[in-house]
C-alpha cells in the first residue's frame, strides 16, 4: 500500500516539474524600460497627427497617453496592457484589444528606438513604422 502512494506521489512530483519547466516567462529588454515619447502624422490614418507618452515598466506592464489631432479636433485617450521581447521582436497587447501587436525593433541609442510592425491587433501588417525617444527625467 505504501508503495502505491509513493508511486502516485512520484508521478505527481514529476508532473509538477515538467509543467514548471514548460511554462515560459516573458522577458523584457531592459533598454526599453522607462518613459518614452513619440509622434507620427499620416502613418496609420491619413490626416491624423498622433503624439504619445509611454511608460514601460520592468514587470512587463505599460501605460500610454495619446493625443490625436484631425481637422483641428483634438482627442486624448489612454491605453494600458502588457509588453515583452523575444528573439529581437517587441510584443504589446492592450487590455482593451483582442490581438497582439508584433514589431521588429532596433535600439539606435539610449535615447531612440525604432519599431517596424509585423502584426497589428494580431493581423499581419508591416506598414507601420515609428520611433520612440527617451524622456530624460534627471
Amino acid at each position: 500500500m505504501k508503495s502505491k502512494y509513493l508511486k502516485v506521489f512520484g508521478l505527481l512530483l514529476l508532473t509538477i516539474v515538467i509543467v514548471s519547466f514548460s511554462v515560459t516567462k516573458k522577458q523584457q529588454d531592459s533598454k526599453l524600460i522607462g518613459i518614452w515619447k513619440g509622434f507620427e502624422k499620416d502613418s496609420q490614418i491619413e490626416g491624423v497627427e498622433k503624439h504619445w507618452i509611454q511608460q514601460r515598466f520592468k514587470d512587463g506592464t505599460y501605460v500610454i497617453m495619446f493625443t490625436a489631432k484631425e481637422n483641428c479636433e483634438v482627442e486624448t485617450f489612454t491605453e494600458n496592457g502588457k509588453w515583452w521581447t523575444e528573439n529581437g521582436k517587441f510584443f504589446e497587447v492592450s487590455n482593451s484589444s483582442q490581438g497582439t501587436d508584433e514589431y521588429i525593433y532596433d535600439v539606435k541609442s539610449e535615447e531612440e528606438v525604432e519599431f517596424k510592425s509585423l502584426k497589428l491587433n494580431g493581423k499581419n501588417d508591416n506598414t507601420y513604422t515609428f520611433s520612440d525617444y527617451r524622456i530624460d527625467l534627471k
Side-chain angles (χ1 to χ4, degrees), residues 25-29 33 55-63 80-85 90-93 95:
K25 184 177 181 235
K26 295 185 169 144
Q27 300 295 311
Q28 288 77 33
D29 185 335
I33 295 169
Q55 184 163 10
R56 290 186 205 97
F57 299 95
K58 67 181 174 181
D59 69 356
T61 60
Y62 74 88
V63 63
N80 58 46
K82 298 194 181 314
W83 73 277
W84 67 95
T85 56
F90 174 84
F91 298 86
E92 188 174 77
V93 61
N95 289 338

Side-chain angles (χ1 to χ4, degrees), residues 7-71:
K7 286 180 184 178
V8 170
F9 178 74
L11 184 58
L12 181 62
L13 186 60
L14 181 62
T15 302
I16 291 171
V17 168
I18 290 171
V19 169
S20 68
F21 280 112
S22 66
V23 174
T24 58
K25 184 177 181 235
K26 295 185 169 144
Q27 300 295 311
Q28 288 77 33
D29 185 335
S30 63
K31 294 179 220 127
L32 302 179
I33 295 169
I35 302 173
W36 301 82
K37 64 181 177 178
F39 164 85
E40 57 105 323
K41 184 175 181 184
D42 302 324
S43 291
Q44 286 186 303
I45 303 170
E46 184 73 27
V48 174
E49 181 179 313
K50 191 167 42 170
H51 299 259
W52 61 86
I53 296 177
Q54 178 175 29
Q55 184 163 10
R56 290 186 205 97
F57 299 95
K58 67 181 174 181
D59 69 356
T61 60
Y62 74 88
V63 63
I64 306 174
M65 184 184 81
F66 290 102
T67 301
K69 184 174 92 173
E70 181 178 21
N71 298 324

